[in-house]
Amino acid sequence: MIGVPKGGCTIELKSPASLAGTQAGRLPSDVGKSRVMTVTDSAITSVPNYIRPLQDTRWNDLVEKHPHATIFHTAKWLEALRRTYDYEPIAATTSSAGSELRNGLVLCSVNSWLTGCRLVSLPFSDHCDPLVDDEAELQALLSTLGEQLREEKLRYLEIRSQRALIPTVSLFHSTYQHCLHRIDLTPSLEILFRNCHKSSTQRKIRRAERERLVYEEGRSKTHLDIFFRLLLLTRRRHQLPPQPKSWFKNLIECFGESVKIRVALKDRQPVASILTMQYKDTLVYKYGCSDEQFNDLGGMHLLLWKSIEEAKQQGLCVMDLGRTTSENTGLITFKDRWGSTRSTLKYVRFAVSADSSGHFVPAGADWRERAAKRIFSRLPDRVLCLVGNVIYKHIG
């Protein structure tokens, strides 16, 4: 057994879930070895194998060819998570060591004295489908991980999927729904503009042009500083601390030219900014922020439209507008008005008991969250940023 600091967990080093008890940045020495596991729930006998996606080149090959792989499966995204939050990613697979990797379920262990120990696929990711085509293999992997929840007393296993999972393993589960918006970029720019809401989106784009907002893009320290200042303003409006600045710096370093910070300026004053990421034929809008006093100028609309124009020029097929919580009706309406298609993301948490503290709770129902927001709203900027640097690792 390996102990962790006071208030943490004690985990036995014998499986991938044992990452929850290791020190940050370390993996148990037996990851990558096969273990025989009988899956009683589905009467399947499997030989699970666990790999390190950041070291095993087969993971890159699987992500490149699998139809359900997204930017959140890539080694670049996993490396940014590792650098920023010390999450060490692993992947469970039924493929044997040394053979072609035909499936995988990538996970990070969140080991926290504050929020408990659990497995998440994948922290800070909008969605991360298991790259598993065979239902029996998926159930084998889920059952194996379920055994670890019981043995190591983890709070839960969370999977963030675009596809509906069939939770047949003998575990209690809860679900939470988010909305996902995507724009089909295959029509012409004229049609894409016409598909936008006339009295809202189209009007705001034209307003930005009339106001002569200046559009800039890049990945320099100056662009990052502008983005982060606007992010701090936006997060403060939401009574939340900003993500660590190092997270965005690491995204830029890991993805290189695939990441862009886009900025709208009025008379040299930054009024809005977004961060986009390109993967295969998809442009992903991941983060957005603005100075509220200039929102009427249409800065955010200008940035999204410029992103669409550029994506069309590069021959991309999809613009992913990201997830939105079901309760955020204002943001859902905003994304609907871009002529996007809305779908449902269903996150699933597996826990060992029906009364587990790891089950999802409705937004705003947790008194601790409400109390924290009241405190955050009163903190000076510097302190709020320091809080963000500390707590995000615990809430992944």
Side-chain angles (χ1 to χ4, degrees):
M1 308 288 282
I2 283 188
V4 293
K6 183 178 180 181
C9 322
T10 301
I11 306 295
E12 186 176 357
L13 290 186
K14 69 173 192 174
S15 74
S18 62
L19 285 172
T22 61
Q23 297 177 7
R26 292 182 56 194
L27 280 169
S29 59
D30 63 346
V31 169
K33 297 180 180 180
S34 298
R35 304 163 190 82
V36 175
M37 173 64 69
T38 300
V39 184
T40 56
D41 301 282
S42 53
I44 296 171
T45 299
S46 183
V47 184
N49 188 51
Y50 300 96
I51 67 169
R52 294 178 171 97
L54 292 178
Q55 286 79 41
D56 194 323
T57 58
R58 295 179 301 162
W59 179 256
N60 293 330
D61 295 337
L62 175 64
V63 172
E64 182 65 27
K65 70 184 180 183
H66 200 282
H68 296 298
T70 69
I71 196 168
F72 304 113
H73 292 90
T74 63
K76 293 177 181 179
W77 181 262
L78 299 177
E79 175 63 15
L81 288 173
R82 187 195 65 79
R83 290 187 188 185
T84 310
Y85 303 109
D86 289 328
Y87 299 150
E88 196 70 32
I90 57 171
T93 178
T94 61
S95 300
S96 60
S99 67
E100 180 184 4
L101 201 64
R102 70 173 186 268
N103 59 50
L105 197 166
V106 64
L107 303 150
C108 284
S109 175
V110 180
N111 175 29
S112 170
W113 56 265
L114 181 64
T115 57
C117 303
R118 68 268 192 197
L119 294 169
V120 182
S121 181
L122 203 59
F124 305 113
S125 306
D126 292 352
H127 42 77
C128 190
D129 283 273
L131 302 183
V132 183
D133 298 320
D134 184 271
E135 184 63 30
E137 292 176 342
L138 176 59
Q139 293 305 320
L141 296 176
L142 292 177
S143 295
T144 300
L145 293 168
E147 287 300 315
Q148 299 311 312
L149 293 183
R150 296 187 182 93
E151 294 176 13
E152 299 170 5
K153 297 180 173 59
L154 304 181
R155 286 187 66 204
Y156 57 80
L157 161 67
E158 180 175 323
I159 298 180
R160 304 174 176 183
S161 180
Q162 299 180 74
R163 297 176 291 169
L165 296 180
I166 304 173
T168 58
V169 295
S170 57
L171 292 168
F172 295 93
H173 68 278
S174 63
T175 61
Y176 195 89
Q177 291 189 2
H178 296 268
C179 294
L180 178 67
H181 289 79
R182 286 195 173 102
I183 301 174
D184 177 6
L185 297 179
T186 56
S188 67
L189 270 177
E190 292 75 13
I191 293 176
L192 288 173
F193 187 80
R194 193 159 60 241
N195 288 342
C196 294
H197 193 275
K198 186 174 182 178
S199 63
S200 175
T201 307
Q202 292 183 18
R203 181 175 57 84
K204 279 295 183 69
I205 294 171
R206 292 192 176 106
R207 170 75 184 274
E209 293 170 348
R210 290 198 305 272
E211 294 288 344
R212 297 185 179 181
L213 296 189
V214 175
Y215 170 80
E216 288 187 4
E217 62 179 49
R219 289 173 295 278
S220 68
K221 182 180 182 299
T222 299
H223 289 105
L224 178 57
D225 289 343
I226 291 172
F227 172 83
F228 194 76
R229 285 198 298 270
L230 292 172
L231 179 72
L232 177 58
L233 289 175
T234 302
R235 299 297 281 179
R236 180 173 288 286
R237 290 201 301 270
H238 298 157
Q239 297 181 306
L240 293 169
Q243 295 91 336
K245 192 174 184 179
S246 61
W247 167 239
F248 305 104
K249 180 175 180 289
N250 286 328
L251 286 177
I252 292 171
E253 291 179 353
C254 290
F255 282 93
E257 294 182 358
S258 298
V259 170
K260 283 188 178 180
I261 293 175
R262 306 169 190 267
V263 182
L265 304 99
K266 172 66 174 177
D267 301 327
R268 299 184 179 180
Q269 171 72 33
V271 299
S273 182
I274 65 174
L275 185 148
T276 62
M277 311 171 71
Q278 182 179 332
Y279 178 66
K280 293 183 178 178
D281 66 350
T282 300
L283 185 67
V284 180
Y285 160 52
K286 190 67 182 82
Y287 299 101
C289 46
S290 65
D291 186 334
E292 188 178 30
Q293 63 179 320
F294 298 106
N295 279 355
D296 287 344
L297 301 184
M300 190 66 70
H301 294 77
L302 173 68
L303 296 176
L304 289 173
W305 182 247
K306 289 290 186 181
S307 300
I308 291 172
E309 287 182 327
E310 182 181 288
K312 284 290 296 180
Q313 291 172 1
Q314 296 177 355
L316 304 186
C317 299
V318 177
M319 182 162 182
D320 185 334
L321 296 180
R323 77 172 187 188
T324 310
T325 59
S326 299
E327 296 82 7
N328 194 343
T329 56
L331 185 54
I332 289 173
T333 299
F334 173 82
K335 293 179 179 180
D336 283 341
R337 290 177 173 175
W338 284 88
S340 60
T341 299
R342 187 201 307 182
S343 60
T344 300
L345 297 174
K346 183 174 286 188
Y347 292 6
V348 181
R349 283 185 182 176
F350 298 95
V352 297
S353 65
D355 58 352
S356 170
S357 62
H359 290 316
F360 285 114
V361 296
D366 191 335
W367 66 268
R368 291 167 296 188
E369 179 183 339
R370 298 195 300 271
K373 284 190 171 185
R374 287 195 292 271
I375 294 172
F376 294 153
S377 67
R378 293 172 170 81
L379 296 178
D381 288 350
R382 183 178 179 183
V383 177
L384 193 62
C385 290
L386 290 174
V387 170
N389 290 342
V390 171
I391 70 167
Y392 273 93
K393 177 179 179 178
H394 297 277
I395 63 176

